[in-house]
Amino acid sequence: MQKWVYTFGGGSAEGSAADRDLLGGKGANLAEMCNLGLPVPPGLTIVTTACSHFYDSGRVIPDALKDEVRAGIRRMERLTGRQFGRDSRPLLLSVRSGARASMPGMMDTVLNLGLTDETVQALGHDAGDARFAWDSYRRFIQMYGDVVMGLDHEVFEEILEDEKARLGHEQDTELSAVEWQHVVARYKETIEEELGEPFPQDPEVQLWGAIGAVFSSWMNARAVTYRHLHNIPAEWGTAVNVQAMVFGNLGNSSATGVAFTRNPSTGAKELYGEFLVNAQGEDVVAGIRTPQNLTEAARLAAGSDRPSLEKLMPDAFEAFQAICDRLESHYRDMQDLEFTIERGTLWMLQARSGKRTAKAALKIAVDMAGEGLISEGEAVSRIDPASLDQLLHPTIDPRARRDVIGSGLPASPGAATGEIVFTSEQAVHAQEEGRKVILVRIETSPEDIHGMHAAEGILTTRGGMTSHAAVVARGMGKPCVSGAGMLRVDLRNELLITQGVTLGKGDVITIDGSSGQVLKGAIPMLQPELSGDFGLIMAWADKTRRMKVRTNAETPADARAARSFGAEGIGLCRTEHMFFEGGRINVMREMILAEDEAGRRTALAKLLPMQRSDFVELFEIMHGLPVTIRLLDPPLHEFLPKTDEEIAEVALALAIDESVLRRRVETLHEFNPMLGHRGCRLAISYPEIAEMQARAIFEAACEAARLTGAAVEPEIMVPLVGLKSELDYVKARIEAVAKDVIAEAGVGIAYLVGTMIELPRAALRAHVIAESAEFFSFGTNDLTQTTFGISRDDAASFLSTYIQKGIVEQDPFVQIDFDGVGELIRIAAERGRRTRNNLKLGICGEHGGDPASIHFCEETGLDYVSCSPFRVPIARLAAAQAAYRNGG
Ligand code: ADP
Ligand code: MG
Ligand code: MG
C-alpha cells in the first residue's frame, strides 16, 4: 500500500535526511533534526509523489491521504496536549511546501491554520493573551485569503494601513486585541464581498484547502520560472509539511529569526543572522520591521543600538548556538536555519545547506578541511565550478550605485568599463592611445577579432549566448553582453540609443557580463583574487584529477593567460585566427585570389615567416608542454570582403580589378559553407597551404627548442576528416615536409599527426582512421552540428523555443548531448583505442569548459580537456570533481 504521510516529532521521526527525494528538503531535515533530539514542533510530511497524484486526479486530495493526515494530526495532538478544531487548547498548524531542491520563497506557506471565530477565543484564553490570539487570526486570514482563496494580499495590507492610520499607530505591534478584532472583522467582510463566500469556519476544510494550495503552488508562475532557471524537473513535485505552530508573537519573551552558521558572503566562521521580537516568520521576510542582530559582535559591527538576541534572551541564544554547532558538524556544511522562540523556549523550524557566494564557498571549504570536518577531496567537490567565473573577472562592487540603461544576455562574465566605440578600427586605435573602450556592435564577425582584442568588453544588440560575439568573448575571457535588443545602434551617426538616454562615441559605459546589465558611466570594481583559498582549492584539485587540462589559444596573450591559470598545454590552436590580424589578411587574400599554384606559393612564402614566428612564440610560452595545431579550417571566402564598399577597398589595397575580385568572391560562394569546401578538403585541393603550415610548425619547433632548451613535440591536427584516405593524403604531405626540415636543420623532430573527430562518419570509422591518426581530438562544436544537422550559427532562432517547450532540456552546444553525440564519442574512443592502445584522446570544443561535459569526458576515459583560457580553472576543478566522484 502507498504510504503518503511520514510523521516527525517527540524525539524521533519516520524519515531522515536520506529521504530527501520523498520528503523534500524541508521535511527530510525536520525529520533529521527530530532524530537528533533537537526541539522541533511535531508534524507530518506528505510525500512529493502525492503532488503528481494530486495533479493526475484533477487536483483532488485522495481519501486515503486524508485518512493518513488525520492520523498524523492525532499524533500531534497527543504530543502537544492540544486538539485540532476544538475550542479548548486548540492545536494550530502551519502548512508548508518543501521540494527536493531548495526553492526559497517560491511556493506558499500558511501559518496559524485552525483558527476560527470560536478557536480564537480559546487560544486567547489559553495563552492569557487576547491580543496575541487576534494577531494570529488576522495573520491567518491574510495568508489563507491570499494563498488559498486567491485574494491579492494588497487588499489586506490596504485595510491594515487604513486602520493604523485611523488609530494613529505606526507599527503593527501597537494594535490592541480589540483593534485586531476589528481588523479581522473587516478582513472577513471583504472576503465575503469580493469572493461571494465566507471565510471557512471548519478547520478541516481550511486544512484541505491549504494542502491543495501548496500542491497548486508547485505550478505557480514564480515556481515554474525558478525551475526553468535551475533545471529542476516538473515531475519532482513538492512535499507538504503540516506542523504544530509555535508562536514567536506571544509577547516580548518571544521572537523569530533566521541564521547562517557562517557568514554566507565572506565565509567567516561567525553566526550570522537576524531576528524580530514578538513576531512571526513572515515579518522577517516581508521586511515590515527592521530586524535585530543575533550576536553582540554583529550588533557592534553594525553600530546598532537595538539589543542583540545574545543580550536579550541569553538562555535561548546559548541553546541556539549549541544547536548551530551540532548541526554544522552533523551535516558537515554551513547551515541556513529558521527558528522561533516562544516565551523563552527555542524551537527549530528549518535547516538546510546555506547558499553562499563563490568567495564564501572557497573559504568555508578550506576552513572545514582545516577543522577536520571534511577531506580535501570533499572540499574540492563542494565548490560549484561555474561559480569560479565570479572570481576570475573583475566584478562590480556590490555597494556601487547602478545606473542601468539596458540589458541583454550575460554572454561572457565579468564587468568592464570604457568609452563607446562602434568599429574595430576605432577600438584598435583607442587602445594604441592607451584608452579603454567598449566595442558596441549590432553583431560581430570574424573580422572584428582585433577590435574585440583591443576592447575591454563587447556589447551587441543582436545574437544569443552562442553568437559569434559571445563565443569569441568567452574564449578571450572578455566581458560581453549580447542581444541587448532594447538598445539601438545607429552606426551612421555613431549613437547608442537607449530608452532614456542617447550616448555617443567616447561616452563611458560599463557592461556587466555576469548579469547582462548595461550601465551608464564608470562603476567601482572589485579585482579578482587568485591566491589564498582559491589557490589552495586549485592545488587540492590538481592532486585529485586524472585528466590534463589544456587551453584553446592562438595568441601569445591568451597562451600566457592560460598558463597563469594552470593550463598544461594547448589543445587547439586555430591557425586561421592568425591570418585575420594586421597586414596578414591581405597576403592571405592574395593567396586565395591567385590564379594558379605558383601564385599561391608566392603568397604562401610571404605568410610562412609570419606563421613561423607565431608558433615560435607559442612554443616558447608553452615551454615543452604539448601544443596541438590545427591546419587551416574555414572556407576561404571567410577571408574575402563582402559588401561593395569592402570589395572596393580591398581591390584598391591589392591593386587588382574590382570585377576580378567580385567574380572570385562569387565563385567561392557556397550554399552551406559549414558543410562546404573547408577543413582537410582545403588541404586536398591546395596541398601547398598545408605544406606551408607544416613547415612553419617544424621550423618553429626547432627554433623554440633552441631558444628555451625544452624539446617541442608539436601535434598537427587535420580537421574535418571523414575518410582515412583524406587523412593519409594530408599526412603524407606533412611527413614529406618534416623530412625536408629535418634534413635542412640536421636535428630530429618528434611530432604527432592526428585528427579532429567532428563528423559522425569519423567517429564510426575510428578504428580505421586510428591506423593513421596518432591522436583524436573531439571537435564537439562541429560534431554536435553534424550529428544533429543543426547549424550552430542559425540555432538561436529555434533552440531557445526548443528549451522553452521542453523538446530538449539543454542547449547541446553548451552541454554535450550525452545520448547522441556522447554515444559517438564513446564509440570513437573505444574503436580508436582498439586499433591503437596509446591513442591520445582529448576534447577541444566549447564543451571542454563545461563542468557536466567534463564529467562525461572523465567517464569516457579521455586524456585531457581543452578550453578557453578563462575556463581553465573551472575545468581543473570540474576534472577533479569528476575523478573524485568516480574514484572516491
Ligand atoms: P519558506 O520555504 O518560504 O522559508 P517556510 O515553510 O519555511 O517557508 O515558512 C516560513 C516561515 O514561517 C518560517 O521561517 C517560520 O518562521 C514560519 N513557520 C513555519 N512553520 C512554523 C511553525 N510550525 N511554527 C511557527 N512558525 C512557523
Ligand atoms: Mg523556510
Ligand atoms: Mg570544427
Side-chain angles (χ1 to χ4, degrees):
M1 231 186 63
Q2 166 82 45
K3 181 172 165 59
W4 295 109
V5 166
Y6 285 66
T7 61
F8 58 84
S12 67
E14 290 183 300
S16 75
D19 302 311
R20 187 187 189 92
D21 292 356
L22 194 61
L23 304 182
K26 200 180 286 167
N29 287 332
L30 284 168
E32 187 81 2
M33 286 197 287
C34 287
N35 290 330
L36 291 173
L38 302 185
V40 175
L44 59 88
T45 303
I46 304 172
V47 297
T48 50
T49 43
C51 188
S52 356
H53 205 82
F54 173 79
Y55 282 104
D56 291 346
S57 55
R59 303 203 177 199
V60 171
I61 301 172
D63 284 336
L65 171 55
K66 284 187 179 174
D67 288 342
E68 282 188 58
V69 171
R70 286 191 191 100
I73 290 178
R74 294 294 93 78
R75 186 172 178 275
M76 287 151 69
E77 290 176 337
R78 282 198 299 281
L79 286 167
T80 57
R82 298 175 169 276
Q83 281 185 302
F84 183 59
R86 291 300 171 79
D87 46 17
S88 70
R89 306 213 72 208
L91 172 67
L92 301 195
L93 303 173
S94 74
V95 177
R96 322 169 61 188
S97 60
R100 252 199 243 186
S102 144
M103 297 167 64
M106 286 304 128
M107 290 177 295
D108 299 318
T109 298
V110 177
L111 303 181
N112 309 306
L113 186 138
L115 279 174
T116 64
D117 294 348
E118 279 169 19
T119 54
V120 69
Q121 303 283 354
L123 182 71
H125 186 75
D126 180 52
D129 187 340
R131 197 210 66 88
F132 148 73
W134 287 101
D135 175 45
S136 302
Y137 196 19
R138 65 90 188 179
R139 288 171 185 271
F140 173 50
I141 299 175
Q142 223 170 312
M143 288 178 116
Y144 195 93
D146 171 15
V147 171
V148 184
M149 305 184 82
L151 198 57
D152 197 34
H153 63 100
E154 280 168 16
V155 174
F156 300 109
E157 276 151 31
E158 268 170 31
I159 295 175
L160 181 52
E161 285 313 307
D162 184 51
E163 282 295 316
K164 280 201 291 196
R166 199 175 60 80
L167 297 163
H169 293 319
E170 300 243 317
Q171 299 279 346
D172 293 5
T173 41
E174 293 166 24
L175 272 74
S176 69
V178 177
E179 287 164 353
W180 278 128
Q181 194 171 352
H182 187 67
V183 171
V184 164
R186 281 190 64 184
Y187 279 1
K188 288 200 304 180
E189 272 164 31
T190 306
I191 286 179
E192 200 153 353
E193 268 167 32
E194 296 274 325
L195 304 174
E197 54 173 320
F199 187 77
Q201 291 294 319
D202 177 347
E204 262 217 13
V205 171
Q206 295 175 353
L207 181 60
W208 308 134
I211 291 173
V214 169
F215 280 146
S216 298
S217 70
W218 179 251
M219 285 295 170
N220 76 26
R222 261 180 308 161
V224 171
T225 309
Y226 188 92
R227 283 203 296 278
H228 263 302
L229 287 173
H230 295 85
N231 284 319
I232 300 172
E235 308 85 74
W236 282 5
T238 180
V240 185
N241 300 286
V242 179
Q243 189 179 30
M245 281 297 295
V246 289
F247 300 100
N249 58 334
L250 239 175
N252 285 336
S253 58
S254 302
T256 188
V258 293
F260 289 87
T261 55
R262 303 193 187 210
N263 186 317
S265 87
T266 65
K269 191 175 181 187
E270 63 197 12
L271 193 56
Y272 178 96
E274 314 176 313
F275 76 105
L276 279 175
V277 176
N278 196 10
Q280 283 195 341
E282 74 271 16
D283 300 348
V284 181
V285 185
I288 320 176
R289 286 155 61 195
T290 311
Q292 292 157 248
N293 298 108
L294 288 182
T295 62
E296 267 306 276
R299 184 190 69 78
L300 289 171
S304 162
D305 52 8
R306 298 160 70 220
S308 65
L309 187 71
E310 187 173 2
K311 203 52 168 252
L312 206 60
M313 303 182 190
D315 293 345
F317 176 79
E318 204 177 304
F320 182 62
Q321 210 168 28
I323 288 175
C324 287
D325 292 345
R326 176 92 193 275
L327 286 174
E328 231 196 32
S329 51
H330 179 71
Y331 285 110
R332 303 184 313 130
D333 196 9
M334 185 261 265
Q335 295 295 299
D336 170 355
L337 304 171
E338 296 174 8
F339 65 94
T340 282
I341 297 167
E342 178 181 314
R343 290 190 169 154
T345 303
L346 172 70
W347 295 96
M348 296 304 298
L349 295 176
Q350 191 171 335
R352 63 179 165 218
S353 281
K355 296 210 188 303
R356 62 206 80 178
T357 62
K359 189 169 150 76
L362 287 175
K363 175 155 177 58
I364 290 171
V366 166
D367 284 355
M368 286 193 167
E371 291 158 28
L373 221 47
I374 57 175
S375 68
E376 289 178 3
E378 268 180 296
V380 166
S381 70
R382 291 275 172 93
I383 311 297
D384 173 11
S387 75
L388 294 185
D389 256 352
Q390 290 176 30
L391 302 168
L392 299 174
H393 299 274
T395 47
I396 291 180
D397 187 333
R399 289 161 300 192
R401 218 179 70 80
R402 290 179 178 230
D403 187 356
V404 180
I405 54 171
S407 70
L409 299 169
S412 179
T417 296
E419 296 171 20
I420 296 176
V421 294
F422 292 97
T423 67
S424 287
E425 285 64 41
Q426 289 169 0
V428 172
H429 185 69
Q431 189 204 29
E432 283 162 4
E433 291 183 350
R435 289 182 290 126
K436 294 187 185 316
V437 298
I438 303 289
L439 178 62
V440 179
R441 307 278 294 161
I442 295 169
E443 56 195 351
T444 62
S445 73
E447 280 174 75
D448 285 316
I449 302 281
H450 58 296
M452 295 174 78
H453 259 297
E456 300 298 307
I458 297 107
L459 168 63
T460 71
T461 54
R462 241 189 251 156
M465 291 293 284
T466 49
S467 63
H468 179 268
V471 172
V472 174
R474 281 199 293 275
M476 292 177 179
K478 297 241 163 161
C480 172
V481 172
S482 68
M486 62 215 286
L487 303 182
R488 202 161 63 75
V489 172
D490 176 350
L491 272 183
R492 172 162 324 167
N493 299 306
E494 305 203 310
L495 295 174
L496 175 64
I497 300 158
T498 77
Q499 309 228 305
V501 261
T502 295
L503 301 171
K505 188 176 143 201
D507 287 339
V508 173
I509 57 169
T510 298
I511 59 167
D512 183 354
S514 309
S515 71
Q517 283 179 346
V518 184
L519 309 126
K520 201 174 143 202
I523 316 246
M525 305 267 185
L526 302 179
Q527 290 309 311
E529 204 196 310
L530 301 183
S531 52
D533 296 327
F534 178 87
L536 214 50
I537 288 281
M538 293 315 292
W540 294 346
D542 291 343
K543 274 200 282 185
T544 312
R545 72 188 154 89
R546 179 191 62 82
M547 286 190 295
K548 297 273 184 200
V549 175
R550 299 196 195 177
T551 191
N552 299 349
E554 38 280 330
T555 67
D558 278 355
R560 266 188 217 104
R563 282 290 290 136
S564 74
F565 287 132
E568 296 160 302
I570 291 179
L572 176 63
C573 168
R574 290 161 290 210
T575 45
E576 59 273 16
H577 285 234
M578 298 166 158
F579 295 128
F580 278 109
E581 269 173 33
R584 298 175 184 195
I585 180 113
N586 277 341
V587 186
M588 189 67 187
R589 286 168 175 158
E590 225 180 286
M591 192 273 292
I592 295 168
L593 297 171
E595 298 290 334
D596 52 17
E597 188 185 325
R600 274 192 298 279
R601 284 195 186 275
T602 312
L604 285 166
K606 291 190 219 166
L607 284 171
L608 174 67
M610 303 178 189
Q611 182 102 93
R612 184 173 54 220
S613 69
D614 290 337
F615 293 142
V616 170
E617 209 171 349
L618 285 184
F619 290 146
E620 274 188 275
I621 294 166
M622 285 295 147
H623 208 96
L625 292 171
V627 176
T628 306
I629 296 165
R630 179 178 71 184
L631 300 182
L632 192 66
D633 183 47
L636 295 182
H637 56 74
E638 278 198 12
F639 297 93
L640 294 184
K642 282 168 201 74
T643 64
D644 285 348
E645 268 174 14
E646 288 165 351
I647 289 177
E649 222 173 88
V650 170
L652 195 67
L654 297 182
I656 53 169
D657 204 66
E658 239 183 272
S659 63
V660 175
L661 179 55
R662 183 160 297 120
R663 210 173 321 120
R664 189 73 181 126
V665 169
E666 277 160 17
T667 41
L668 283 173
H669 170 80
E670 290 175 314
F671 289 103
N672 282 317
M674 273 302 148
L675 302 175
H677 198 177
R678 55 169 289 221
C680 66
R681 298 160 200 170
L682 289 173
I684 290 164
S685 308
Y686 314 111
E688 53 279 8
I689 302 177
E691 285 168 6
M692 181 281 284
Q693 292 199 294
R695 177 169 280 275
I697 293 167
F698 293 131
E699 289 178 356
C702 293
E703 189 170 346
R706 201 170 43 74
L707 289 170
T708 64
V712 178
E713 192 178 304
E715 300 174 356
I716 301 179
M717 181 151 75
V718 183
L720 215 72
V721 162
L723 302 157
K724 174 175 178 284
S725 50
E726 289 174 319
L727 178 59
D728 285 340
Y729 180 90
V730 182
K731 190 179 175 188
R733 298 299 176 126
I734 295 169
E735 280 169 345
V737 174
K739 226 167 122 193
D740 289 351
V741 176
I742 289 168
E744 288 158 23
V747 291
I749 303 171
Y751 65 95
L752 299 177
V753 177
T755 181
M756 273 181 122
I757 300 290
E758 48 191 340
L759 296 174
R761 189 181 197 284
L764 296 173
R765 301 295 290 165
H767 48 300
V768 180
I769 291 173
E771 287 166 12
S772 302
E774 292 162 297
F775 65 86
F776 285 171
S777 177
F778 292 98
T780 46
N781 296 346
D782 268 318
L783 189 58
T784 301
Q785 296 202 90
T786 53
T787 301
F788 275 91
I790 289 179
S791 148
R792 182 169 74 162
D793 301 309
D794 302 312
S797 62
F798 56 89
L799 253 188
S800 54
T801 312
Y802 266 45
I803 291 168
Q804 223 167 23
K805 298 197 171 176
I807 308 287
V808 292
E809 269 185 21
Q810 296 282 345
D811 181 341
F813 292 104
V814 174
Q815 178 181 307
I816 289 178
D817 154 48
F818 303 125
D819 299 337
V821 176
E823 180 74 5
L824 285 170
I825 295 174
R826 279 188 290 265
I827 289 173
E830 192 262 321
R831 292 186 185 172
R833 281 205 165 132
R834 215 191 305 147
T835 299
R836 189 189 288 269
N837 60 18
N838 66 346
L839 183 71
K840 253 197 212 185
L841 298 176
I843 179 174
C844 62
E846 281 259 307
H847 305 90
D850 168 62
S853 305
I854 291 170
H855 276 253
F856 169 85
C857 294
E858 170 71 27
E859 274 155 27
T860 312
L862 301 197
D863 297 304
Y864 69 87
V865 299
S866 187
C867 58
S868 56
F870 277 81
R871 295 197 76 83
V872 165
I874 295 169
R876 283 162 70 198
L877 185 60
Q881 292 179 349
Y884 183 74
R885 195 175 63 181
N886 264 17

